[in-house]
Each structure stands twice: as structure tokens, then as C-alpha cells.
Amino acid sequence: MAAAAPLSLLVLLLLGPGVWGQTDPPRDSLREELVITPLPSGDVAATFQFRTRWDSELQREEVSHYRLFPKALGQLISKYSLRELHLSLTQGFWRTRYWGTPFLQAPSGTDHSFLRYAVLPREVVCTENLTPWKKLLPCSSKAGLSVLLKADRLFHTSYHSQAVHIRPVCRDARCASISWELRQTLSVVFDAFVTGQGKQDWSLFRMFSRTLTEPCPLASESQVYVDVTNYSQDNETLEVYPPPLTTYQDVVLGTRKTYAVYDLLDMAVINNSRSLNLQLKWKRPPGNEAPPMPFLYAQRYVSGYGLHNGELSTLLYNTHPYRAFPVLLLDTVPWYLRLYVHTLTITSKGKENKPSYIHYQPAQDRMQPHLLEMLIQLPASSVTKVSIQFERALLKWTEYTPDPNHGFYVSPSVLSALVPSEVAAQPVDWEESPLFNTLFPASGSSSHFVRLYTEPLLVSLPTPDFSMPYNVICLTCTVVAVCYGSFYNLLTRTFQIEEPSKGGLARRLANLIRRARGVPPL
């Protein structure tokens, strides 16, 4: 008994904070969410979101311990006094005309004096960015929704975009203290006809080659939403398996939506096989109806001939039958395309459309691109054309990419607008709402914020003949070898006169034979 006393005291000391007092609640939290949306074109879009929120003022406090929030990003915020960071890596182009308005939109900037905007339309060297992105997740790819992030399936899609968003959020209405929010998003669009072998049916296993087995143990919320707005089980045309236990309805991007909800924290959702494989099957083929037209979408192209001059054109479509609305257009053009600002023209319905605001920052060679920003009013049911002419510059031979004949990419235009809503949205509590409903401002007005991107452009530049150095080297080496060899022989070789010999025994025998045959001797 005497020997057990020190052991008991040691246990009490180790367990004292949990036994004698209440532990402080964690200051950070994690929410994960997956939204599956059947698109009007028959494709399927999947949007992942992982939100980590930390109640800590990193720029004022000295933080040495990190639990859920990535330490690398926390040190970045503290060291450089970062206000916001939005980084996205995208392969493919979101086809707004056929897929509708995208879910994920980059939020508005801070003050212009603190704003830094950069875009790289194409990576020259192929890199793998998914693995570092997954390492920022608290559960990595071991549990939760992140187990579906299989590289060989995600990169063989029509559209793939992954992003990291860091921003401060207020803890209360007065914003006396702030929290830091890290939101990691990933959007992919699967070709349903390819993955479904010619059918529009889909399932988690068919798209990702995996199923959901358990939520992330560090997550306070782990849910899957399936858009079933245009489908109801009353018409017996569509079957969603397993049947959802709950549904969620709200106004998203100006349209009332209905979602089937699957909560992974609910043990009833995971079946006896300890896996969840959501499936959507059509009982009969859907009709070939035209996809609904979004109120705002854009196209961009380059025109002209030759390798000297050209023209950049952007078409802005407002398909609303009776409402006009303004659009903020932002263009960044590389310095080697020298813009002629006096050729800028904006026309709507065959008439000149003067912008209410315009800002132009000229480029500096090899230092910064052109920056053109305009606020344009789009009339109802109209197509507005914005065009500007440019001249191609000749680069130094060391500034060309390894494949210069492929061309050079020009970054897409950015459109920001308040688009009319079909249904007015009501203010909601962001902490109680799904993550996909907090990507854009919601108010009681009849408009909603939309940010779209046009497709990038491929422009050919005057390209020198890179085979000429090879030809010059070959020709130079040949000339030097011939000239130098001949000159060297003249300087080093000695010439002597050699008397012709009368020949030996063999020559005399040959002459005897030739004389006998009547042939002149040698």
C-alpha cells in the first residue's frame, strides 16, 4: 500500500486539469462539405469546401501552437501582415452558357493601395498541385470528404479548379475582435456520358472510384448536398439512392434550390457496409430540352491577320428581357501586346455605349502589364461588344518559351456585376447556413453578385527561326575546319623531290612478260 501512494499522486497530477476543472473549448473548428449538381448539359459538377476557422488575431498575438489551422499559412499572415489571400489553380474553362453560373467566385478586394492582383494564364512547366493542397487539410486525405480526392480521376475531367481563400471575419456585430478563416475549395465537372458509359446516371464510385466511409474526426460538420431542384420523386423520372433523410431549400444565385442532405456525422447515413455511395438513376431518359439561359455570360476572341497588328474583342450578353444592369470589366494584357487606347470602342445594339467609369494603367516593358477597368451599362436583351486594337512586340530570343510556335496566352477578362434574381434572397446566418450559400453576399434585394471569367486567348507573336543558330554553327565549323586545316598543312608540311627508282626484280619480270606479249614496257 505504501508503494501505491506515489503512483496515485502522479495520476492525479496528470489528470488534474480534466478532473478538477473545465477545459477551455477549442478556438478553432473545421467544416467540410460536398455539393453535387447535375448540370443542364448532362454533366455533373462536384464542389468541395473545407473551412477552418480560428479565433485568434495572428497579426497581434504570438502564436506557437497550431491545431487545425496550417502553420505555414499562419506564419505567412503574421510575418507579412496579410489582410486577404485568394489563390486559384484552374485547368479548363467553365462554360457559363451551357453549365449556368458557377458556384465559386472570388470575393471583392480590399483597398486599391493594398491590393495585389496577378494572373498566370498557363504553366509552362507541368507541376502537381493537388498533393500540397491536400496537406493543408487537418485530416489530409485519410478521412472525411477528402478521401474522394483521387488525382487520376480529378485530372481527367472537363473542368478542374482548386483554390485557397484566407480572410478575416468578425466575431460579433461590432467587429471588436476577428477570426481567421481558411477556405479550401475544389470544383470539378465530370462528363456524365463518358463516366456513365453513354448514360446520365452517376454515383460517387463511378466518378471518384471511391466511396465515403467516415467523416473527418476533427470536423464539427461533414455534409453532402445533392441538387434535386428540377427533379421530384412524384414524376417518377429520377431515383436518388439512398433516399435522403432531410432536404434543404434556399435561394442560391437568384434561383430557389432544393438539396438532398446527407450528414456523415449521423450514424444512420452510413449503412451496414460502412460506406456511402450516392447514386442517381434515370428511370426514363430525360427530354432534350434547351438549357436555361443565364442572364449574364461573355465570350472573348482575337481577330486580325499577320503577325503585326490585331484586335481583342469581348462580347457581353445580357439576356434579361427588360432589365439593364452595369458590369465592371477588368482586363490585364501582357506588355508585349501594345494597346492602342484611342481605338477602344464599345457598342450595344449598333450604337456607341460610353462607359460611366474607365481606368487605364499603361504597361512597362518587362515590368508590368496593361490594366484596363471599365464600368459598362448593359441594355436589356442585348449584346455589347468591347474591342481594342494592339500591335505585337518582338521579344528577345531568351524570352521565348520552349515551344514558341504554340503561341502566348493572354489572361481572361473578369466580369463583376449585380445580376437580377428570379427570387429575392433573404438574409441568413452564415454560421448556420451551408458553406456554398456563404460564397456570395445575400440580401433582400432583387439582385445577386456574380463574378465570371472569359476564356484565355492564344496569340501568336513574331518568332525568329531558332534553327538558324544550328545552321550557322554547322557552317562555321565546316569553314573553319577546311580553312584552318589547309593553312595548317601549308605551315607544317615539308615538300621534297623524289627521284624515280628504276624498279626491282618484280618490275623487270613484268617488263619481260609484257615484251613477250608485244606490250610496251612499264
Side-chain angles (χ1 to χ4, degrees):
M1 294 297 294
L7 180 60
S8 302
L9 179 61
L10 178 61
V11 172
L12 288 177
L13 289 176
L14 292 176
L15 302 180
V19 174
W20 300 106
Q22 294 289 338
T23 59
D24 295 334
R27 300 171 59 187
D28 50 3
S29 61
L30 170 66
R31 296 174 60 185
E32 58 178 9
E33 179 181 286
L34 169 60
V35 181
I36 301 177
T37 306
L39 300 176
S41 61
D43 302 324
V44 180
T47 304
F48 293 84
Q49 284 201 70
F50 304 89
R51 195 202 71 167
T52 304
R53 179 169 175 172
W54 193 7
D55 296 339
S56 174
E57 299 190 11
L58 297 176
Q59 297 177 350
R60 300 179 183 178
E61 303 176 4
E62 294 184 0
V63 180
S64 59
H65 177 67
Y66 291 81
R67 196 175 80 98
L68 300 180
F69 203 92
K71 184 177 181 180
L73 298 182
Q75 292 176 343
L76 183 67
I77 297 173
S78 303
K79 183 176 182 179
Y80 296 101
S81 300
L82 195 66
R83 295 191 177 186
E84 282 192 39
L85 172 64
H86 304 280
L87 173 66
S88 60
L89 303 169
T90 304
Q91 180 182 7
F93 173 66
W94 183 275
R95 306 180 184 278
T96 307
R97 172 65 179 83
Y98 304 99
W99 294 347
T101 306
F103 250 136
L104 303 179
Q105 303 151 6
S108 303
T110 58
D111 188 6
H112 285 282
S113 59
F114 300 100
L115 179 63
R116 301 293 183 268
Y117 175 78
V119 59
L120 181 65
R122 175 176 177 258
E123 284 184 291
V124 178
V125 181
C126 180
T127 57
E128 202 279 308
N129 302 305
L130 182 62
T131 300
W133 185 87
K134 290 192 294 185
K135 289 182 178 179
L136 298 177
L137 298 173
C139 289
S140 185
S141 58
K142 308 299 182 182
L145 300 178
S146 58
V147 300
L148 300 178
L149 304 180
K150 194 176 180 181
D152 61 338
R153 302 295 298 174
L154 297 180
F155 292 132
H156 288 81
T157 55
S158 303
Y159 175 82
H160 169 270
S161 178
Q162 61 190 62
V164 174
H165 305 281
I166 303 176
R167 64 172 182 172
V169 293
C170 298
R171 301 186 197 177
D172 50 26
R174 297 183 303 169
C175 204
S177 58
I178 64 171
S179 301
W180 284 96
E181 179 188 83
L182 167 63
R183 185 171 297 200
Q184 296 178 242
T185 61
L186 188 144
S187 299
V188 291
V189 175
F190 293 91
D191 190 339
F193 293 97
V194 174
T195 58
Q197 299 178 357
K199 300 180 181 179
Q200 294 190 17
D201 301 343
W202 57 264
S203 66
L204 289 182
F205 185 80
R206 184 174 295 174
M207 292 189 297
F208 301 100
S209 296
R210 293 178 180 176
T211 58
L212 296 173
T213 57
E214 61 177 347
C216 174
L218 300 176
S220 60
E221 182 178 306
S222 180
Q223 294 184 340
V224 179
Y225 294 85
V226 180
D227 188 355
V228 292
T229 303
N230 299 327
Y231 322 111
S232 62
Q233 296 184 359
D234 297 336
N235 55 17
E236 296 182 355
T237 60
L238 186 71
E239 179 183 1
V240 181
Y241 180 82
L245 301 180
T246 58
T247 58
Y248 174 80
Q249 293 185 356
D250 205 342
V251 178
V252 180
L253 295 174
T255 307
R256 186 170 298 279
K257 298 286 188 177
T258 303
Y259 295 91
V261 183
Y262 299 88
D263 189 358
L264 298 185
L265 297 179
D266 187 358
M267 299 303 299
V269 174
I270 306 297
N271 55 21
N272 297 330
S273 61
R274 294 178 178 263
S275 66
L276 175 63
N277 183 24
L278 294 179
Q279 302 179 28
L280 186 145
K281 297 182 179 180
W282 293 89
K283 295 184 178 180
R284 63 171 181 264
N288 296 325
E289 299 179 358
M293 188 83 66
F295 287 154
L296 174 65
Y297 65 98
Q299 295 179 349
R300 198 180 189 206
Y301 60 91
V302 60
S303 58
Y305 57 91
L307 295 177
H308 186 224
N309 296 325
E311 184 178 80
L312 295 176
S313 300
T314 306
L315 301 180
L316 309 177
Y317 293 85
N318 176 12
T319 62
H320 200 280
Y322 56 88
R323 284 192 60 177
F325 53 86
V327 170
L328 185 63
L329 177 64
L330 175 65
D331 264 336
T332 54
V333 182
W335 64 268
Y336 44 78
L337 299 183
R338 310 192 187 279
L339 297 182
Y340 295 145
V341 184
H342 69 280
T343 63
L344 176 64
T345 57
I346 306 174
T347 57
S348 299
K349 296 183 175 181
K351 299 180 181 179
E352 182 182 1
N353 187 344
K354 293 184 178 180
S356 55
Y357 164 79
I358 185 170
H359 170 72
Y360 173 69
Q361 180 177 332
Q364 297 182 15
D365 287 358
R366 299 172 179 85
M367 294 183 63
Q368 69 178 24
H370 302 270
L371 177 65
L372 181 60
E373 189 176 20
M374 297 174 288
L375 184 63
I376 307 173
Q377 186 75 14
L378 302 184
S381 186
S382 66
V383 179
T384 301
K385 181 179 181 181
V386 181
S387 60
I388 186 171
Q389 297 180 7
F390 65 88
E391 177 183 338
R392 295 172 172 88
L394 183 63
L395 303 180
K396 298 180 180 179
W397 72 275
T398 56
E399 295 175 342
Y400 285 90
T401 58
D403 51 348
N405 293 310
H406 177 77
F408 291 77
Y409 283 88
V410 180
S411 59
S413 301
V414 185
L415 281 72
S416 304
L418 289 175
V419 178
S421 302
E422 298 179 2
V423 182
Q426 300 297 327
V428 295
D429 185 2
W430 282 27
E431 290 300 319
E432 300 296 332
S433 300
L435 295 178
F436 68 85
N437 208 13
T438 61
L439 295 171
F440 34 82
S443 62
S445 62
S446 59
S447 300
H448 62 280
F449 178 77
V450 170
R451 176 161 291 169
L452 303 176
Y453 300 87
T454 64
E455 56 268 49
L457 299 179
L458 186 61
V459 179
S460 298
L461 294 182
T463 305
D465 185 4
F466 287 100
S467 64
M468 281 304 297
Y470 174 77
N471 298 333
V472 170
I473 291 174
C474 294
L475 179 61
T476 303
C477 292
T478 303
V479 172
V480 169
V482 173
C483 297
Y484 177 77
S486 302
F487 188 68
Y488 180 81
N489 288 335
L490 290 176
L491 293 178
T492 60
R493 182 177 298 178
T494 59
F495 297 90
Q496 297 179 357
I497 298 176
E498 182 180 359
E499 294 292 337
S501 59
K502 296 181 178 179
L505 178 62
R507 184 172 183 177
R508 288 198 296 268
L509 291 176
N511 288 333
L512 290 175
I513 297 173
R514 294 173 66 88
R515 189 179 298 112
R517 296 174 59 186
V519 180
L522 296 176

